[in-house]
Amino acid sequence: MNEYAEYDWRLQQLQNERLCDVSRKRLTDGDKQRALDGLKEAVDSSLNLALRDKSRCQDDNFLRRFLYARKHDVQQSFELLVRYHQYRREHPELWASADGGVLRALADGLPGVLAQRDRRGRCVLLMFASNWTPHACPLLSVYRALLLTLERTITDVQNQANGYVIIVDWTEFTFKQSCSLQAKVLKLMIDGLQDCMPVRFKSIHFIGQPWYVETALAVIKPYLRAKTRERIVLHGNNLSTLHDALPLDILPAELGGEGPSYNSERWLKEFCQCENIDPSPVPSITKTAPQDNELPTAKLDKAYIHKDNQNFSFHGNEKSAKSELLRDKD
């Protein structure tokens, strides 16, 4: 009898969850307007210091992105709005006008934006990791390029409602490049993208990832929410699984798609046009960093031998990267 009661309770719980999902998807225009009114009221009555300047919150289109990000839950949307403003107050340099480092990152496809959406209407962002030149374009500039790209594209209501898909191509990404993945900046990225930005990342696809990238991901995963971890898909060199998730006709040739090779200049020009920036000053640079930064072969061999050691750090030494993240958190 107890087993039957437990089964019946679980069945009812599943049915309720399905009904909740359906109700979220079937929000009427009236429901959305009531949620918007509720969020505006919460902002007007808030005494939170992060919302001292409420001028931008008078824009309905600005507030809607937070409602879509939290499925029109007014309380969760308000909390996200507060975190967003607090994050911007703590790190104003991230939202400064695009400089040479940001334009360099965009020119290298870090990130890139596909011209076409996937079948679910989601915006597809690309990250070609092997194009990254740390000595000319620091990781912080790549993060700023991603933030500014999100700020520009999230103004589209379709992106607010349907979310984003990110594809990170790690093919030919070297161990030497991985040594420039600073723990402090990675922590800053996790805090901002996961908890403060009004965007919905529906899936994150890694392709061609080497072992040292998987090691770095293993270190970072404890700092990710369960939902975020579940949405990271490691394809390795098996592009067929990527093609199962995304249609071939929208993917560039680099990802085994039917389209031409990705042209980063399209999004760079569109971004610069929106920001009233001249993209022509972006210099062409060589992909090789200064030779005095080269890692000795012995160190590379040692890193590979100890890659499964819990104290291994992807910065090329034996200090735990996890402890670095903890240190930066303090």
Side-chain angles (χ1 to χ4, degrees):
M1 184 67 180
N2 290 337
E3 292 179 358
Y4 175 81
E6 183 179 0
Y7 171 81
D8 185 66
W9 177 81
R10 288 180 179 175
L11 181 61
Q12 185 177 5
Q13 185 182 39
L14 288 173
Q15 290 174 341
N16 290 338
E17 290 175 355
R18 292 194 188 100
L19 288 174
C20 288
D21 291 339
V22 171
S23 65
R24 291 194 194 101
K25 294 176 182 178
R26 293 182 179 177
L27 285 173
T28 65
D29 291 339
D31 295 330
K32 294 177 182 179
Q33 185 60 46
R34 281 190 289 274
L36 178 60
D37 293 340
L39 181 57
K40 293 169 72 173
E41 182 180 347
V43 170
D44 292 338
S45 61
S46 174
L47 299 178
N48 195 299
L49 292 178
L51 297 177
R52 281 185 298 182
D53 181 8
K54 300 180 181 181
S55 57
R56 198 177 183 189
C57 296
Q58 305 305 315
D59 182 0
D60 290 354
N61 292 329
F62 174 72
L63 292 178
R64 284 193 181 98
R65 65 184 67 175
F66 295 91
L67 290 168
Y68 275 112
R70 292 298 179 264
K71 300 180 180 179
H72 287 80
D73 183 297
V74 175
Q75 181 61 34
Q76 293 184 16
S77 300
F78 174 73
E79 293 172 357
L80 177 61
L81 178 67
V82 171
R83 290 197 300 271
Y84 171 82
H85 280 87
Q86 184 64 37
Y87 190 74
R88 288 193 62 142
R89 286 176 60 84
E90 293 175 354
H91 308 285
E93 71 283 356
L94 296 178
W95 276 268
S97 299
D99 55 14
V102 171
L103 297 181
R104 177 72 264 163
L106 293 175
D108 288 337
L110 295 164
V113 182
L114 287 187
Q116 293 179 284
R117 302 175 182 273
D118 71 357
R119 296 291 186 265
R120 299 181 182 179
R122 301 175 298 189
C123 179
V124 181
L125 303 181
L126 304 179
M127 301 285 287
F128 292 102
S130 63
N131 291 346
W132 181 39
T133 50
H135 65 284
C137 178
L139 183 60
L140 190 64
S141 294
V142 176
Y143 179 39
R144 289 210 328 114
L146 178 58
L147 278 183
L148 295 176
T149 294
L150 290 173
E151 285 281 358
R152 175 54 54 187
T153 56
I154 200 61
T155 57
D156 190 327
V157 177
Q158 196 169 357
N159 292 338
Q160 298 173 15
N162 299 330
Y164 294 81
V165 173
I166 300 181
I167 305 174
V168 186
D169 185 0
W170 297 99
T171 305
E172 296 183 2
F173 182 75
T174 65
F175 186 88
K176 178 181 174 182
Q177 288 172 301
S178 73
C179 294
S180 297
L181 294 173
Q182 302 138 309
K184 185 175 182 179
V185 179
L186 291 174
K187 184 64 170 60
L188 184 67
M189 295 173 68
I190 292 172
D191 290 342
L193 297 175
Q194 181 174 243
D195 299 319
C196 303
M197 288 296 292
V199 295
R200 303 173 65 190
F201 296 112
K202 308 301 291 185
S203 60
I204 303 171
H205 301 271
F206 283 11
I207 63 172
Q209 72 279 357
W211 61 266
Y212 36 87
V213 169
E214 294 189 6
T215 302
L217 181 61
V219 172
I220 292 171
K221 270 191 173 181
Y223 300 90
L224 303 177
R225 292 200 303 265
K227 182 180 290 187
T228 304
R229 292 197 298 267
E230 292 170 359
R231 291 179 176 177
I232 297 177
V233 184
L234 303 181
H235 298 279
N237 296 321
N238 185 9
L239 288 179
S240 62
T241 55
L242 176 67
H243 300 160
D244 290 338
L246 294 167
L248 285 173
D249 57 333
I250 73 168
L251 295 176
E254 293 91 336
L255 304 179
E258 297 174 353
S261 296
Y262 179 74
N263 181 10
S264 61
E265 291 186 3
R266 185 194 65 81
W267 171 244
L268 174 62
K269 289 181 179 179
E270 183 177 339
F271 175 86
C272 291
Q273 183 178 4
C274 295
E275 300 291 330
N276 295 320
I277 300 174
D278 181 10
S280 58
V282 179
S284 59
I285 54 178
T286 58
K287 298 298 181 181
T288 57
Q291 293 298 318
D292 54 353
N293 288 336
E294 290 285 354
L295 288 173
T297 303
K299 182 174 284 189
L300 290 173
D301 293 340
K302 184 177 182 181
Y304 183 79
I305 293 172
H306 294 284
K307 65 184 176 65
D308 296 322
N309 190 313
Q310 61 180 356
N311 292 323
F312 170 74
S313 167
F314 53 90
H315 289 278
N317 54 51
E318 296 179 6
K319 184 178 180 181
S320 172
K322 192 168 185 178
S323 66
E324 293 177 24
L325 286 171
L326 289 171
R327 180 197 64 200
D328 294 329
K329 189 175 182 181
D330 295 336

